[in-house]
Amino acid sequence: MIRSKTSSDHSCSCHGLSDTTVLQAISNLCEATNSWVCLRSLNGNEICTLPENEPALRALKPSYLKQPARSEKAPSSISQRHKIESIIVHNSEKIGLLELYVVDLEKADAIMTCMQQSIQLSLNQVTRYSQDREETFRHVIDATPIAINYLNGKTGKIEFINKAFQDTFGYALEEIPTLQTWVERAYPDDAVRLNVAAEWIQRIDSYRQQGRSVPSIRTQITCRDGSTRQVLQQIERLGDYRISSFVDLSALSDIESRMQTRYGMLEMLLTKASLDEVLASIVRRIENEACKGFKCSILLLNNARNTYVKSVAPSLPEEYNQAVCGMSIGLGVGSCGTAAYLGERVIVENIMTHEYWRDYLDLAKIGGVQSCWSEPILSSKGHAIGSFAIYNEAPATPSDDDIELISFAAKLASVAIENRLAQRKLEEQAFYDHLTGLVNRRRFFELAEVSLQESIEQNYPLSILMLDIDRFKEINDRFGHETGDRVLQALARCASSLVGKNDVVGRFGGEEFTILLPQSDRKRAASLAKTLRQALSELRTPSSTGIDVQFTASFGVVCNDAKNRSIDDLLSKADHALYQAKGNGRNCVVSYTPQKPTSFTPNISNR
């Protein structure tokens, strides 16, 4: 994972310039253009240098790099890099400085333009993602039936109050813009206000010293109309923000339990738990909150939004869950299929007599249910992406509280699903090559390190293939880079189709690829390399000129027979064998043999 250096420049962080997505986009361009970047804040502090962990960068000087390492694939005669600078502007505001070091000065402007465009696209994506998360979070808070205000701890401003807060106390947000204003309105008597503040300060200091969370406090709030309410106030910290909740003590037992349950569900969204774990937690917590013997389910639709592909319902029989998966939605397809199809809530009080369940009575018997209330799970764009349902073992009509519970659960599930999908998309952009879809160099190293450690601990072999397309530059020069990209994609598809399910194909950089083969000895690795070499030589890739392009590749094979404890060492040996294959005439496979070292000296320009 790319990490920026710690900086005191808060504005840079606020604008997302140090976000992983932005840094990964720059790093990918650096690797593709054989360039180097220093990203700085407006005050000149260094945020990071990209790409990371390159041998040549360890000898970096202010305006040039020493002789490039082999992995840069630069001609050995190049010993200087040219430096150009540019200011990064986003939303009409200067947010940082970009120092670009390039080998070819003639291409500097084009590379800088690409860098700036990539940064802008990434910053826009980060901004949209942040705004979407803020909007969905506020949407969930607003749907909560507990009075809540949302305070910025740094500025002292109250940024949000939910509907329940306005209904409970009567204040609009503009009437209590700051914490000071709210406290003065809620506790108009000076003596009372000082006592309440003192009690809070004492509790906070005492419990923090003990390493415990601060409990709720019973207090009396003055409402806008002059009336007072006895409430139970709880303050929770969320980063720089403070979330205060106020529970009317007249319904303390029920609402306090519900508040704890929903806080737990909201906290679950902020963890690294998988989507299945989050959805299962939502289902169980809703069942526990209701305390009525409900059985709940969350059904997820496929990408086409027409068929259920996953059922999360731990209280229903597995046979029921399996039967639901693969079922298409539509009018009259039970409660859930109809709700997702119509995009609206469907209440079936008696399954045995309702037309929507006429063809699914056997399924209801498997589940042991006789009523089903279903709410569609809608995305932020209003598309159905699943459904939430509450089942009963007997015919039943939902109360207003039940309806609110179904609505809340569906909205929370929507936030969880979209949040995890957004995280997955960002991870894909950070770990996968956008052109070929293969894991990128950084991700390959991470997976290889894990596999190597496992192979050492469990005493099984591990092999690595390194392959390089022969005379790839000639393909680009003759047919254009678009055709060159097709060749890279064709190789990626071919390699992926031949490897096993535990093997990993990665794009190492440019036209060089690596294949990680866990639990594979030298014989199996060499056999796969020969099979892939033959398959690649038979490929025909169409070019923009109408001529089919043929290409070959050279392979280096290494096996962890000597129990090497470094992936860098294994890759170095695989690369050594690859260069020997190039020296042997290309389009061949060479296995590294430490007993017979070669004196072959590679010529990078002839690859």
Side-chain angles (χ1 to χ4, degrees):
M1 179 180 293
I2 291 181
R3 295 181 175 89
S4 62
K5 295 187 177 181
T6 303
S7 173
S8 60
D9 192 334
H10 177 67
S11 63
C12 180
S13 175
C14 290
H15 288 289
L17 197 56
S18 59
D19 188 271
T20 303
T21 303
V22 178
L23 300 183
Q24 189 62 54
I26 300 174
S27 181
N28 289 341
L29 274 173
C30 288
E31 293 181 3
T33 59
N34 193 23
S35 58
W36 171 78
V37 160
C38 178
L39 201 60
R40 299 184 184 276
S41 61
L42 286 176
N43 61 15
N45 289 337
E46 180 181 320
I47 300 172
C48 67
T49 59
L50 298 169
E52 292 182 335
N53 301 325
E54 290 292 337
L57 297 183
R58 289 195 281 268
L60 177 67
K61 293 187 178 181
S63 61
Y64 67 93
L65 293 174
K66 288 187 176 181
Q67 181 69 20
R70 179 206 53 75
S71 61
E72 292 181 286
K73 298 182 183 178
S76 58
S77 61
I78 295 178
S79 61
Q80 301 289 322
R81 294 199 180 204
H82 304 279
K83 171 185 174 183
I84 59 174
E85 298 178 336
S86 178
I87 296 176
I88 302 172
V89 179
H90 186 61
N91 292 334
S92 302
E93 183 179 354
K94 297 178 181 179
I95 63 172
L97 303 174
L98 180 65
E99 295 178 359
L100 175 64
Y101 295 79
V102 297
V103 174
D104 190 345
L105 187 58
E106 293 182 357
K107 297 180 180 179
D109 288 341
I111 295 174
M112 177 63 80
T113 299
C114 289
M115 288 285 182
Q116 286 279 15
Q117 291 176 346
S118 182
I119 290 172
Q120 293 301 319
L121 289 173
S122 299
L123 285 173
N124 289 339
Q125 180 181 354
V126 170
T127 301
R128 286 195 301 270
Y129 178 63
S130 176
Q131 291 173 344
D132 289 343
R133 289 195 65 181
E134 179 71 11
E135 182 179 350
T136 53
F137 181 78
R138 291 192 176 196
H139 186 69
V140 170
I141 293 296
D142 199 43
T144 301
I146 301 168
I148 290 176
N149 68 33
Y150 195 54
L151 170 73
N152 187 321
K154 288 189 174 182
T155 64
K157 293 183 178 180
I158 297 177
E159 296 187 356
F160 178 76
I161 59 175
N162 69 347
K163 184 176 183 298
F165 185 97
Q166 297 180 60
D167 293 341
T168 302
F169 303 116
Y171 297 110
L173 181 59
E174 55 267 23
E175 295 176 309
I176 49 170
T178 66
L179 175 62
Q180 181 66 32
T181 307
W182 160 241
V183 171
E184 291 174 354
R185 299 292 295 270
Y187 308 102
D189 185 276
D190 292 343
V192 172
R193 183 164 62 250
L194 291 175
N195 288 336
V196 171
E199 183 176 358
W200 267 118
I201 293 172
Q202 181 181 0
R203 280 182 173 237
I204 291 173
D205 290 341
S206 174
Y207 279 85
R208 282 185 178 173
Q209 288 176 4
Q210 301 174 41
R212 299 163 58 188
S213 60
V214 181
S216 305
I217 184 173
R218 294 174 184 268
T219 185
Q220 181 172 285
I221 300 292
T222 300
C223 302
R224 188 177 186 276
D225 61 4
S227 63
T228 60
R229 283 181 180 266
Q230 291 288 335
V231 298
L232 189 70
Q233 183 179 1
Q234 174 71 45
I235 299 178
E236 297 285 347
R237 300 181 65 182
L238 189 62
D240 293 331
Y241 289 87
R242 306 291 182 272
I243 300 178
S244 295
S245 60
F246 305 83
V247 182
D248 193 332
L249 294 183
S250 61
L252 176 61
S253 58
D254 292 338
I255 298 181
E256 185 175 37
S257 175
R258 178 171 294 188
M259 177 183 69
Q260 293 174 348
T261 297
R262 298 193 179 186
Y263 267 130
M265 287 187 280
L266 289 172
E267 289 174 354
M268 191 73 174
L269 296 181
L270 303 178
T271 68
K272 295 183 179 180
S274 68
L275 178 59
D276 286 355
E277 291 172 332
V278 172
L279 296 182
S281 176
I282 292 174
V283 167
R284 292 191 184 95
R285 289 172 184 266
I286 292 296
E287 290 175 344
N288 294 335
E289 178 179 327
C291 297
K292 297 180 180 180
F294 289 162
K295 297 179 180 180
C296 302
S297 74
I298 293 177
L299 303 180
L300 300 185
L301 289 169
N302 59 2
N303 292 334
R305 302 195 298 274
N306 58 16
T307 304
Y308 285 122
V309 292
K310 181 181 288 295
S311 174
V312 181
S315 297
L316 290 171
E318 183 60 27
E319 184 180 359
Y320 183 93
N321 291 325
Q322 292 178 358
V324 171
C325 292
M327 185 179 295
S328 298
I329 65 173
L331 188 63
V333 183
S335 302
C336 295
T338 304
Y341 179 76
L342 296 176
E344 59 186 39
R345 184 184 308 125
V346 171
I347 303 297
V348 173
E349 300 171 351
N350 191 334
I351 286 176
M352 298 304 164
T353 60
H354 202 284
E355 59 178 342
Y356 289 169
W357 283 83
R358 183 181 305 151
D359 298 329
Y360 304 97
L361 295 179
D362 290 340
L363 183 62
K365 291 178 181 178
I366 293 173
V369 296
Q370 293 194 41
S371 72
C372 180
W373 318 323
S374 183
E375 182 90 7
I377 300 174
L378 303 178
S379 70
S380 56
K381 296 181 179 180
H383 302 306
I385 55 178
S387 59
F388 177 85
I390 291 180
Y391 300 86
N392 290 277
E393 295 180 349
T397 302
S399 65
D400 290 342
D401 287 342
D402 295 332
I403 293 296
E404 187 279 327
L405 190 62
I406 297 171
S407 177
F408 174 79
K411 291 174 181 176
L412 191 63
S414 173
V415 173
I417 294 168
E418 292 204 315
N419 181 48
R420 289 305 186 270
L421 291 177
Q423 287 182 359
R424 186 182 304 169
K425 186 174 181 180
L426 289 176
E427 288 175 358
E428 289 176 354
Q429 292 175 339
F431 296 142
Y432 292 86
D433 175 58
H434 74 283
L435 179 64
T436 63
L438 302 176
V439 298
N440 58 22
R441 178 173 180 160
R442 186 178 305 278
R443 184 59 172 165
F444 183 88
F445 267 100
E446 292 176 356
L447 297 174
E449 291 288 357
V450 173
S451 293
L452 176 61
Q453 187 62 33
E454 290 177 351
S455 74
I456 294 173
E457 294 174 354
Q458 301 178 27
N459 195 31
Y460 61 69
L462 176 143
S463 297
I464 292 179
L465 306 185
M466 182 171 283
L467 58 146
D468 187 278
I469 299 176
D470 298 327
R471 297 189 171 91
F472 184 69
K473 183 177 183 301
E474 295 180 11
I475 296 175
N476 277 333
D477 291 344
R478 181 180 177 186
F479 299 102
H481 289 279
E482 182 178 350
T483 300
D485 288 347
R486 293 175 187 169
V487 168
L488 296 173
Q489 292 168 336
L491 185 150
R493 288 192 299 269
C494 183
S496 298
S497 69
L498 294 176
V499 300
K501 65 177 182 179
N502 295 324
D503 303 334
V504 178
V505 184
R507 186 180 179 191
F508 207 61
E511 68 272 21
E512 195 170 47
F513 296 79
T514 48
I515 302 178
L516 177 67
L517 303 173
Q519 302 186 33
S520 296
D521 56 18
R522 187 186 304 273
K523 182 178 179 181
R524 190 246 170 175
S527 175
L528 175 62
K530 292 174 183 178
T531 300
L532 179 56
R533 184 204 64 79
Q534 181 63 34
L536 293 177
S537 67
E538 296 173 358
L539 288 180
R540 303 292 184 272
T541 304
S543 69
S544 56
T545 63
I547 300 175
D548 287 343
V549 177
Q550 291 182 259
F551 66 94
T552 60
S554 301
F555 292 74
V557 180
V558 65
C559 182
N560 194 31
D561 294 335
K563 302 305 177 189
N564 298 277
R565 296 183 179 272
S566 167
I567 286 297
D568 286 327
D569 186 38
L570 283 173
L571 288 171
S572 177
K573 292 175 179 178
D575 192 56
H576 186 86
L578 169 60
Y579 276 117
Q580 186 171 351
K582 293 285 188 179
N584 291 347
R586 302 181 177 85
N587 190 25
C588 62
V589 176
V590 172
S591 294
Y592 178 82
T593 52
Q595 295 83 3
K596 297 180 181 180
T598 176
S599 60
F600 172 68
T601 301
N603 184 343
I604 297 177
S605 61
N606 288 333
R607 297 190 72 173

